Amino acid sequence: MRTLFNSNPLKLARQEQGSTMLVYLFILSAMAAVAIAALQTITLNLETTQSHSKGKTAFYSAEVGLDLAVNAIITDFEDLIPYTESADDPNADGDGYISVSNYRNYAVKYKITNPLEPFLYQTVVGNTIIYHYAHTYDIEAEATSLKDSSREIVREKIRILETPLVQYFIFYGQSGNSADMELFPGPDMNTWGRIHSNGDIYIGSSSFNTISMRNYDENDNLSPHSMTAVGNIYTYSKRSGNDYADTVEVKTASTGTTPSPFETLSVNITSSNEVSEEARFNNFVLVNEEPYTTPSKDLFERGGFYEQRAEDPGKSTVDGMTIIGTGGLGSGINVFVSRPSLTDVTDLVLAGESSAGNAVPNLPMPMVRETDDAFGDCRENDRDVDTTDIDLYALGLWYEAYLEDEGLELAGDGMLIYTSRSPDSSFTNDDNDLQAIRVISIDSTSSPQLSDETTLATDNPIYIHGDFNTVDTKGVALIGDAVNILSNALTTKPCGISFFNLFQNYSASTTTVNAALFAGHVPTTGSTYSGGVHTYPRLHEDWTRRFGNTTKTLFINGSFINLWDSEQARGEWCIGGDCYSGPTRNWGWDVRFQDPDFWPPFIPSIFSVERVGFLE
């Protein structure tokens, strides 16, 4: 028997080398496969990353379209023109899109639609509820790359909240020094209603009596109340630094018609003690709040928004009228009404006729007149005042008769009247006589009852002469460069008179005004005091009667809304001499402004944006 075996070593070595080569080739193939897979993964990741980056860029570009759409809406609202939809824009394409020029290599466009009619909407401010008109918009924005195929569409719903300022008792707009609110009355003072300053608040009783900020009016009607400041709240004088701590009491509840419970303002409320102080006042006092953008005085210039809207309200529910005087450059008044179309009714108004030859019975005359040197304004460098006098009561009677002859009736949501003695928007009112508007009962037989809610706006100073809006009170806004109040007793008054003659011959009588007052002021600068709330309605008589009877009372129910520095009546505050002495002030918010039906038309408002959320 033979045993078989391989006795050739060289052959064995070659067989082992062949096996090793096969293993090596196998491993090499496996590594190549892994490498190729890795490369593919890397390539895929790079493509995914690039795609994600492109998608993000497209998304952000589309969001730019959303922001541009919101800005377009807000711009119109700040001009008091409610935005409609982008399809109404002459720059829109056939589908209603507004195209934006190249934005970072993306073509951006947006479309705005207005799916809902405006509706009343409530929010909580501090510890009170405030009303807004809510305007809802759906926005679609699209961004398409100019370099590749990336594209993104985003959709969002927003609300513009239009907040009529008649819901505030005191509101100081603007910014910086002009926004600071000061209130330092001498006697005790009860106030109610919301107070806001876009700057700091300086408040205290300069006679160390009490300012009581409560939640009810003189007739025990409940009223929302709060004090908010974009800056800080101080109980010392801005001008002198005198400290009047512990003189301001703020009620810390919204119920009950008694002053309690209340907390007393300390020397200052700032960011350093904000949390504890706001909690102490139960959020009825707030500091470091967001500022509001308020309407520009440009809206009230000749040819501006308010004159345009008085000629054509753009709303079928509002009546419009313009009354333009001469600005001291001649004689004559021009009166136009907006319905049934823009019509010159000057001759009818001056004659007291509702149509040609048809006299309005029992109509007090004149309804409108011009008066040269009506009285002196001693605060305005002893200047005489030329006025366009308007009897709003008589004018309402005439207008109703005029509409009836036209087969019409009052539109329903009030009247907007624009009046001016300025020849154009560049008028500075720096001539010898001051040009102004006076609201007055020209004839003593005039019924003191307005026909409807009324907004009267002018670029000139405005003077309210005697009791106003006291019978069947309507919601009224009076808007001017500065607001002045003359008592029932004043007939005329010169300047340059002695201190004694002022207090003997120009004594005021108790007077009541029911209106929201929108005007400018001359702010305190340095050591010169001028801009306090208690001097916001400018006075010109002896209300104190230092040589005889008791101090007379000035009743004001409404709002004090300070939106700009006065540009025509720029005289700084003065007291005594031939300026004035102070009344007993019974001033507070008219609680009837809680009812939106009481609001006059085209009230200056503030606006805010609620971004409700993205849409599918």
Side-chain angles (χ1 to χ4, degrees):
M1 179 177 182
R2 291 189 304 172
T3 301
L4 299 175
F5 60 93
N6 191 343
S7 60
N8 190 335
L10 180 61
K11 186 176 181 179
L12 287 173
R14 286 176 178 172
Q15 288 178 343
E16 289 177 2
Q17 286 178 352
S19 299
T20 302
M21 180 64 70
L22 288 173
V23 172
Y24 175 77
L25 289 174
F26 177 78
I27 293 172
L28 188 62
S29 298
M31 291 178 63
V34 170
I36 291 170
L39 286 172
Q40 290 176 337
T41 301
I42 292 170
T43 301
L44 181 61
N45 287 340
L46 286 172
E47 290 175 350
T48 302
T49 301
Q50 289 173 353
S51 177
H52 179 68
S53 177
K54 290 176 182 177
K56 285 182 64 177
T57 304
F59 177 79
Y60 292 145
S61 298
E63 280 203 319
V64 168
L66 292 179
D67 291 339
L68 292 172
V70 171
N71 287 338
I73 295 169
I74 292 174
T75 298
D76 274 7
F77 272 97
E78 288 180 346
D79 288 337
L80 299 185
I81 304 171
Y83 193 93
T84 53
E85 55 186 23
S86 57
D88 295 332
D89 192 312
N91 297 315
D93 63 20
D95 294 323
Y97 284 93
I98 305 292
S99 293
V100 180
S101 59
N102 181 357
Y103 177 78
R104 294 185 178 179
N105 295 316
Y106 277 84
V108 178
K109 63 180 182 179
Y110 63 81
K111 180 179 181 179
I112 304 169
T113 55
N114 183 203
L116 300 174
E117 290 294 317
F119 58 91
L120 278 175
Y121 184 75
Q122 297 179 357
T123 60
V124 176
V125 177
N127 231 328
T128 66
I129 292 174
I130 195 163
Y131 285 103
H132 320 268
Y133 289 121
H135 305 260
T136 304
Y137 297 93
D138 289 345
I139 304 171
E140 178 180 295
E142 179 181 321
T144 303
S145 175
L146 300 174
K147 290 186 173 182
D148 51 53
S149 60
S150 58
R151 177 171 170 265
E152 189 70 49
I153 297 175
V154 290
R155 299 179 180 89
E156 184 180 27
K157 184 184 292 291
I158 70 164
R159 287 194 199 101
I160 300 293
L161 301 184
E162 176 186 358
T163 311
L165 286 170
V166 291
Q167 295 178 89
Y168 287 84
F169 169 43
I170 301 169
F171 187 99
Y172 269 52
Q174 304 192 79
S175 61
N177 182 60
S178 294
D180 291 344
M181 191 203 97
E182 301 173 80
L183 177 58
F184 289 96
D188 285 352
M189 184 173 182
N190 293 317
T191 70
W192 54 94
R194 298 180 184 89
I195 293 175
H196 173 80
S197 169
N198 259 8
D200 296 324
I201 292 177
Y202 298 83
I203 185 170
S205 173
S206 56
S207 296
F208 294 95
N209 296 316
T210 300
I211 299 175
S212 176
M213 297 185 59
R214 61 196 196 192
N215 69 318
Y216 57 95
D217 67 7
E218 292 297 280
N219 297 312
D220 288 344
N221 296 303
L222 289 177
S223 167
H225 71 293
S226 63
M227 183 188 297
T228 61
V230 172
N232 305 316
I233 297 175
Y234 305 104
T235 58
Y236 58 78
S237 167
K238 178 180 180 180
R239 176 180 61 90
S240 67
N242 291 342
D243 181 7
Y244 303 103
D246 300 325
T247 63
V248 183
E249 299 170 352
V250 182
K251 187 167 181 177
T252 57
S254 58
T255 58
T257 53
T258 61
S260 62
F262 68 86
E263 291 287 334
T264 303
L265 287 182
S266 50
V267 175
N268 58 64
I269 303 177
T270 67
S271 57
S272 64
N273 60 356
E274 175 181 358
V275 173
S276 60
E277 288 292 286
E278 290 181 351
R280 184 165 70 90
F281 286 97
N282 195 21
N283 287 333
F284 283 96
V285 175
L286 301 172
V287 296
N288 292 320
E289 294 294 287
E290 289 296 316
Y292 294 107
T293 299
T294 50
S296 164
K297 194 171 188 293
D298 295 346
L299 299 171
F300 304 93
E301 291 179 347
R302 286 299 315 275
F305 171 84
Y306 272 81
E307 185 172 5
Q308 294 173 25
R309 283 293 173 267
E311 293 175 346
D312 179 11
K315 296 182 178 180
S316 61
T317 57
V318 175
D319 291 286
M321 179 183 295
T322 61
I323 304 172
I324 306 302
T326 63
L329 302 177
S331 61
I333 294 174
N334 294 304
V335 184
F336 284 78
V337 293
S338 65
R339 299 174 65 211
S341 59
L342 186 61
T343 306
D344 185 345
V345 294
T346 305
D347 292 340
L348 298 178
V349 168
L350 296 180
E353 298 173 352
S354 61
S355 60
N358 296 332
V360 179
N362 303 316
L363 183 66
M365 290 292 289
M367 294 174 281
V368 182
R369 72 182 180 199
E370 292 191 316
T371 303
D372 291 337
D373 300 336
F375 46 85
D377 189 325
C378 309
R379 171 172 171 164
E380 295 299 320
N381 298 318
D382 295 350
R383 297 167 71 189
D384 288 330
V385 183
D386 298 339
T387 59
T388 294
D389 299 331
I390 303 173
D391 188 331
L392 288 176
Y393 314 123
L395 196 61
L397 294 174
W398 170 85
Y399 186 62
E400 288 187 81
Y402 166 82
L403 288 176
E404 185 177 0
D405 280 1
E406 297 290 332
L408 301 169
E409 57 186 15
L410 291 172
D413 284 341
M415 173 173 281
L416 170 63
I417 300 174
Y418 182 81
T419 181
S420 178
R421 292 179 65 80
S422 304
D424 53 49
S425 61
S426 65
F427 185 64
T428 59
N429 216 343
D430 287 332
D431 296 336
N432 290 333
D433 287 0
L434 183 70
Q435 306 302 310
I437 306 301
R438 178 166 55 164
V439 176
I440 187 173
S441 294
I442 295 174
D443 188 301
S444 61
T445 63
S446 173
S447 168
Q449 184 173 337
L450 292 164
S451 294
D452 207 349
E453 273 65 46
T454 302
T455 295
L456 183 142
T458 179
D459 61 327
N460 302 139
I462 188 169
Y463 293 79
I464 306 165
H465 195 161
D467 288 337
F468 177 73
N469 194 22
T470 56
V471 177
D472 189 20
T473 299
K474 301 291 194 300
V476 173
L478 300 177
I479 307 169
D481 180 71
V483 171
N484 303 260
I485 294 179
L486 310 172
S487 81
N488 290 300
L490 188 135
T491 54
T492 188
K493 176 197 165 188
C495 293
I497 58 178
S498 69
F499 179 82
F500 178 81
N501 284 336
L502 171 67
F503 294 114
Q504 284 294 302
N505 301 321
Y506 301 101
S507 297
S509 61
T510 295
T511 300
T512 299
V513 172
N514 294 323
L517 309 178
F518 293 77
H521 72 153
V522 179
T524 295
T525 55
S527 61
T528 303
Y529 169 80
S530 192
V533 172
H534 50 296
T535 65
Y536 174 78
R538 304 180 187 187
L539 306 177
H540 304 271
E541 301 163 77
D542 166 27
W543 291 81
T544 306
R545 292 298 300 271
R546 299 186 184 186
F547 300 98
N549 298 326
T550 58
T551 299
K552 302 302 180 183
T553 301
L554 174 58
F555 295 89
I556 304 177
N557 298 301
S559 301
F560 297 171
I561 313 297
N562 175 47
L563 298 179
W564 49 74
D565 291 351
S566 297
E567 295 179 356
Q568 296 187 17
R570 300 186 298 274
E572 292 178 339
W573 172 75
C574 63
I575 192 169
D578 56 6
C579 290
Y580 81 103
S581 66
T584 295
R585 296 175 177 87
N586 197 321
W587 300 352
W589 187 59
D590 192 332
V591 298
R592 286 168 288 205
F593 281 126
Q594 291 179 97
D595 180 4
D597 289 338
F598 194 74
W599 296 349
F602 293 104
I603 312 164
S605 301
I606 52 178
F607 299 92
S608 55
V609 180
E610 272 195 348
R611 305 193 85 148
V612 179
F614 287 98
L615 300 172
E616 294 295 331

